[in-house]
Amino acid sequence: MRYLHKFTVIVQILGVILGICCILITTNWDKNINMYSNQKYTEENYEQIISKKNPENYNLIFYKKGCPYCKAAKKDILTYQKGSKYMTFFIDVDSKVGRNLVSAYSVRKAATGITFRKGRVNRYLYAQKVGDTYESKKSVLKVIFRE
């Protein structure tokens, strides 16, 4: 009977440890998923669309999974993008296409937006650190999406 009680206590302790591990995993889960996977244009279809449609005006929004700057600006980016007339591609800098585009356009920080307007290419940092927090640069996002 005494061994059964010890066994029950051990099982309960293991259950608590397992629960804590699950909480830790799920709170950091978003660092491992594609931040913009539900968007129409991503690095997965960038080359195909650019080669077929050859748009004159479009945006590239670069991001990196786990980047605090990128994460802080995501909500504002999606809000501004909804009202934009420009096709916007969300590019993971760690993807094959992303690495190629980072090199081609000399992107130095993941939280970068690039605009293409009638042959002109402009590069912007769309987030910043203010004190201990990260936030989007709304004035820059307005330029990127309403330029």
Side-chain angles (χ1 to χ4, degrees), residues 17-143:
I17 292 170
L18 181 62
I20 291 170
C21 289
C22 288
I23 289 169
L24 292 174
I25 289 170
T26 56
T27 56
N28 289 315
W29 185 256
D30 65 332
K31 291 181 181 178
N32 299 317
I33 59 172
N34 185 326
M35 288 177 58
Y36 296 100
S37 61
N38 61 340
Q39 295 302 303
K40 185 174 181 180
Y41 303 113
T42 66
E43 71 276 350
E44 293 173 6
N45 58 13
Y46 169 80
E47 291 173 327
Q48 178 186 10
I49 291 172
I50 293 299
S51 66
K52 283 185 179 179
K53 292 186 177 183
N54 196 19
E56 193 172 60
N57 301 309
Y58 63 97
N59 301 320
L60 299 179
I61 298 295
F62 291 88
Y63 69 93
K64 181 179 178 87
K65 298 170 194 162
C67 168
Y69 294 89
C70 303
K71 186 175 181 181
K74 180 181 178 183
K75 182 180 176 186
D76 289 335
I77 286 171
L78 292 175
T79 299
Y80 284 109
Q81 184 252 340
K82 283 181 186 174
S84 178
K85 64 182 178 181
Y86 302 114
M87 184 183 310
T88 300
F89 292 90
F90 295 92
I91 308 295
D92 181 350
V93 298
D94 290 329
S95 69
K96 182 180 178 184
V97 171
R99 287 189 301 272
N100 291 340
L101 291 171
V102 162
S103 176
Y105 295 107
S106 302
V107 172
R108 292 190 174 91
K109 306 273 186 185
T112 298
I114 298 181
T115 60
F116 296 82
R117 302 291 186 270
K118 298 182 181 178
R120 281 191 354 211
V121 179
N122 291 305
R123 189 174 29 255
Y124 305 92
L125 292 176
Y126 62 73
Q128 62 190 350
K129 186 173 183 181
V130 178
D132 292 338
T133 62
Y134 300 92
E135 61 184 40
S136 66
K137 293 181 178 179
K138 292 182 181 176
S139 61
V140 169
L141 293 176
K142 287 178 184 177
V143 170

